[in-house]
């Protein structure tokens, strides 16, 4: 029995991992994910970690309390104004060029930014997620926000991957927010043990496409 996933062409999958310069790039985590969240209350912290656990379970990837090298290798920062990042102790050591980056994000009125670090094999070694809780971002339900961010940090996607279409969908029958089946399928396929940690060749999209024809895995719900 084949998966009942919406049809995605290899070209559509390729587009999800195409950079602004036209290059193809996809990477997954190469080590267990050890998250930490700054700037939220305990209830939101539980929501964020719960969403991460759901997506990592879908991927068949492990989470951990700590990373032996870095302590925490996935950091979420919630704040109201980009300038607040300049006051975080030692953040400029984790994010080189922090001051000019903040200036660019302010000028662009950006609501979010992600930075990745990679290991020797090209797999994701660490990630930093910055979320400015103003406007539409602040109005988003915590569960929806958390699941969206968990999806976007599970893989290194192209910058425009979800610019026009959310990775989530709402079930009309119940109103529940779920991960779109085709996106869940891509994440699961990318974490297939036969797939590389990282790829910069467009043939990788064809391999993901082939795996989307396999039986579907479960998907997280918020």
């Amino acid at each position: 029995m084949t998966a009942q996933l919406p049809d995605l062409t290899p070209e559509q999958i390729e587009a999800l991992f195409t950079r602004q310069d036209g290059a193809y790039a996809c990477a997954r985590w190469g080590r267990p994910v050890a998250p930490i969240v700054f700037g939220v209350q305990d209830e939101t912290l539980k929501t964020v970690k719960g969403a991460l656990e759901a997506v990592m379970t879908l991927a068949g990837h492990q989470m951990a309390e700590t990373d032996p090298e870095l302590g925490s290798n996935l950091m979420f920062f919630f704040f109201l104004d980009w300038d607040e990042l300049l006051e975080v102790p030692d953040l400029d050591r984790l994010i080189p060029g922090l001051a000019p980056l903040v200036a660019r994000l302010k000028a662009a009125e950006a609501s979010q930014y992600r930075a990745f670090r990679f290991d020797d094999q090209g797999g994701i070694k660490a990630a930093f997620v910055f979320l400015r809780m103003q406007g539409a971002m602040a109005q988003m339900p915590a569960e929806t926000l958390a699941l969206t961010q968990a999806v976007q940090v599970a893989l290194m996607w192209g910058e425009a991957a979800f610019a026009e279409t959310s990775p989530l969908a709402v079930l009309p029958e119940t109103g529940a927010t779920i991960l779109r089946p085709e996106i869940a399928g891509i994440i699961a396929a990318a974490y297939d043990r036969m797939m590389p940690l990282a790829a910069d060749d467009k043939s990788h999209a064809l391999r993901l496409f082939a795996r989307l024809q396999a039986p579907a895995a479960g998907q997280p719900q918020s």
Side-chain angles (χ1 to χ4, degrees):
M1 181 177 178
T2 57
Q4 298 299 310
L5 295 178
D7 291 333
L8 277 181
T9 66
E11 291 77 17
Q12 288 173 317
I13 296 172
E14 180 184 319
L16 292 171
F17 300 102
T18 299
R19 317 295 298 173
Q20 289 180 339
D21 62 4
Y24 184 92
C26 176
R28 70 177 194 236
W29 284 86
R31 57 178 64 194
V33 177
I36 189 169
V37 185
F38 299 98
V40 297
Q41 297 179 343
D42 288 346
E43 283 305 310
T44 303
L45 171 62
K46 293 176 183 176
T47 300
V48 172
K49 288 193 173 182
L52 280 169
E53 288 171 357
V55 173
M56 290 302 158
T57 297
L58 163 72
H61 193 68
Q62 293 183 322
M63 291 184 64
E65 288 297 319
T66 59
D67 179 274
E69 180 184 353
L70 304 170
S72 295
N73 56 28
L74 173 54
M75 300 184 183
F76 287 86
F77 296 85
F78 290 77
F79 50 90
L80 296 176
D81 187 89
W82 287 109
D83 283 332
E84 293 178 41
L85 296 182
L86 301 177
E87 302 171 5
V88 177
D90 298 326
L91 185 58
D92 56 344
R93 294 173 59 186
L94 295 173
I95 309 293
L98 179 63
L101 173 62
V102 165
R104 291 198 304 273
L105 294 169
K106 284 178 62 178
E109 297 185 351
S111 60
Q112 57 187 303
Y113 180 78
R114 277 169 292 279
F116 292 93
R117 300 289 180 268
F118 304 95
D119 60 27
D120 292 342
Q121 295 179 294
I124 300 173
K125 175 181 180 178
F128 307 90
V129 182
F130 302 99
L131 302 168
R132 184 173 68 95
M133 302 304 292
Q134 296 279 12
M137 184 76 78
Q139 301 302 316
M140 191 178 297
E143 293 82 2
T144 301
L145 176 63
L147 187 52
T148 300
Q149 295 303 322
V151 169
Q152 293 191 90
V153 82
L155 296 171
M156 187 185 70
W157 307 85
E159 293 92 340
F162 305 116
E164 297 183 1
T165 305
S166 169
L168 310 185
V170 176
L171 289 176
E173 300 87 354
T174 63
T177 299
I178 65 165
L179 179 54
R180 282 167 43 206
E182 64 271 32
I183 299 302
I186 288 173
I187 293 172
Y191 276 86
D192 187 304
R193 60 180 180 168
M194 300 303 293
M195 295 289 284
L197 278 175
D200 58 9
D201 190 284
K202 295 178 181 180
S203 64
H204 180 261
L206 290 172
R207 297 179 67 186
L208 291 175
F209 173 76
R211 280 163 174 75
L212 287 181
Q213 316 309 308
Q219 59 175 301
Q221 297 191 25
S222 67

